[in-house]
Amino acid sequence: DAGVIQSPRHEVTEMGQEVTLRCKPISGHNSLFWYRQTMMRGLELLIYFNNNVPIDDSGMPEDRFSAKMPNASFSTLKIQPSEPRDSAVYFCASSLDRSQPQHFGDGTRLSIL
Amino acid sequence: AQSVTQPDIHITVSEGASLELRCNYSYGATPYLFWYVQSPGQGLQLLLKYFSGDTLVQGIKGFEAEFKRSQSSFNLRKPSVHWSDAAEYFCAVRRGGGADGLTFGKGTHLIIQP
């Protein structure tokens, strides 16, 4: 079975540009999570959705960050405008339901120059 | 708010030796606890989980973990490590009962000596 699929795997762009990260959760999973991993702060939850509805976005660092889940099989995380301090690995994870473990994608390594 | 502490940033173990990675959590009620492993350039793979019941849980790749409420700990163990176990290991906690996100420890980097 396909796992969580993230694209792109790597993204390098200049400061000020818009960045869009994409995630396809495991089919049938109804919870989706976005995390960010940096050396300084480790793994942090940014936002999570349940049945396509954002439940908790308290981890989203600034208004420059936004996330959507238009349907059960697709989510995006957008940064506009991007800044060098946004450089990190961004992970998407999904779980079958609210009581089950999360399965992670391979992440998107984002570098903002 | 819940928190997770992994006191060891790096651990070096000889191949074939036993392993124990420490994890302490802070949460008022019974937490949901997890151990994940991350290889370089990869995502996180679930090793095992504890929700309730038997405090000794078995996972994949020969790993096990023991939940000790009195010590607020959830240490990961393996009786004999293999070179392929070299990776970053993360302990995580989630508040029980909801579809909340995970709070992770900072990770322990495991190095295997031949």
Side-chain angles (χ1 to χ4, degrees):
Chain A
D1 290 339
V4 175
I5 299 173
Q6 293 187 244
S7 63
R9 288 297 312 277
H10 303 274
E11 175 87 13
V12 181
T13 191
E14 293 187 347
M15 181 175 63
Q17 298 297 307
E18 179 179 289
V19 174
T20 299
L21 310 182
R22 297 172 175 80
C23 175
K24 176 178 170 58
I26 294 172
S27 178
H29 283 195
N30 62 20
S31 294
L32 183 140
F33 306 80
W34 283 100
Y35 292 88
R36 180 172 66 176
Q37 184 178 36
T38 62
M39 289 293 293
M40 290 297 293
R41 300 175 66 89
L43 278 154
E44 303 173 285
L45 175 69
L46 298 178
I47 185 171
Y48 78 91
F49 297 83
N50 195 45
N51 292 321
N52 312 336
V53 175
I55 303 300
D56 182 0
D57 65 354
S58 60
M60 296 285 264
E62 301 171 32
D63 291 345
R64 299 184 295 107
F65 286 70
S66 62
K68 294 182 179 180
M69 192 166 186
N71 57 63
S73 59
F74 184 65
S75 177
T76 59
L77 178 67
K78 187 172 294 186
I79 308 173
Q80 167 64 21
S82 59
E83 297 183 3
R85 59 193 169 119
D86 301 331
S87 298
V89 181
Y90 291 81
F91 287 103
C92 177
S94 69
S95 63
L96 185 62
D97 60 39
R98 57 198 303 157
S99 66
Q100 296 303 311
Q102 297 170 26
H103 298 264
F104 284 74
D106 285 337
T108 294
R109 183 173 295 275
L110 177 64
S111 296
I112 308 297
L113 306 177
Chain B
Q2 67 268 36
S3 65
V4 178
T5 301
Q6 294 181 246
D8 303 306
I9 298 174
H10 301 277
I11 281 188
T12 301
V13 178
S14 297
E15 189 168 15
S18 63
L19 170 71
E20 183 169 26
L21 302 183
R22 296 183 290 166
C23 172
N24 293 97
Y25 67 90
S26 173
Y27 179 61
T30 300
Y32 288 15
L33 294 160
F34 307 84
W35 275 99
Y36 284 85
V37 61
Q38 183 181 30
S39 298
Q42 303 294 312
L44 282 75
Q45 181 183 21
L46 178 69
L47 287 176
L48 46 77
K49 64 184 185 292
Y50 172 78
F51 286 178
S52 64
D54 193 347
T55 57
L56 184 63
V57 294
Q58 302 297 319
I60 62 171
K61 304 184 179 185
F63 286 93
E64 67 178 25
E66 186 171 12
F67 170 62
K68 293 185 177 180
R69 183 188 302 275
S70 61
Q71 298 177 19
S72 297
S73 69
F74 188 57
N75 293 349
L76 182 71
R77 300 194 294 249
K78 187 170 185 178
S80 177
V81 298
H82 186 262
W83 64 266
S84 60
D85 293 324
E88 193 83 16
Y89 290 80
F90 293 93
C91 182
V93 64
R94 193 188 83 200
R95 288 170 287 180
D100 298 325
L102 297 173
T103 299
F104 285 89
K106 291 295 179 68
T108 296
H109 184 58
L110 176 63
I111 300 167
I112 306 297
Q113 282 184 336

